[in-house]
Amino acid sequence: MNLLVAQLRNQDPSSPMDTNQMISQTTQLATMEKLTSMDKVAIENFSLQMRMSAAALIGQTVSWLDKDGTTTKSGVAESVSFASGVPVVKVGEMNIPLDQISGVTAPQINIPQPA
């Protein structure tokens, strides 16, 4: 919108902007503004989904590749930190970013057998 206002202020009085061009530019600017707003909402929704997914891992057995990328490790997710851009899952002394977790297994429930 600021661009359109600047154009109107600086236009040549002897050759004013065509009304159709002005309406077209206004429409394009409004569309761009809405797209930018929708992009922001989509990013916020994705961030919320990552947080919910990470929180749902607490108590679950998660697996990931070690730093070398050769050995699969696993452990029970104890907590989640949202301090950085990607949630970090704490397993024992390890902090594993959510995007490095390669698998999730539900905890085993031991049902006592009748005697």
Side-chain angles (χ1 to χ4, degrees):
M1 197 57 143
N2 289 336
L3 181 61
L4 184 60
V5 171
Q7 278 183 321
L8 290 172
R9 281 189 187 145
N10 297 314
Q11 72 179 335
D12 181 4
S14 64
S15 176
M17 184 186 298
D18 179 27
T19 307
N20 289 335
Q21 278 185 325
M22 190 167 62
I23 291 172
S24 175
Q25 285 182 4
T26 303
T27 303
Q28 288 174 353
L29 291 170
T31 301
M32 189 63 182
E33 185 179 329
K34 287 296 181 188
L35 287 173
T36 302
S37 175
M38 287 173 55
D39 182 54
K40 184 178 179 183
V41 169
I43 289 169
E44 289 172 357
N45 284 340
F46 180 70
S47 177
L48 178 60
Q49 286 176 341
M50 280 197 327
R51 289 172 179 249
M52 290 173 38
S53 295
L57 293 176
I58 296 173
Q60 307 287 325
T61 300
V62 296
S63 57
W64 67 95
L65 290 175
D66 65 0
K67 290 181 183 178
D68 299 331
T70 56
T71 306
T72 301
K73 299 197 172 221
S74 65
V76 176
E78 300 168 1
S79 64
V80 177
S81 170
F82 303 118
S84 63
V86 174
V88 176
V89 179
K90 183 173 172 98
V91 179
E93 296 299 316
M94 301 287 299
N95 290 314
I96 301 100
L98 181 63
D99 58 357
Q100 291 183 7
I101 293 177
S102 58
V104 181
T105 307
Q108 295 286 331
I109 299 174
N110 294 326
I111 301 173
Q113 299 294 327

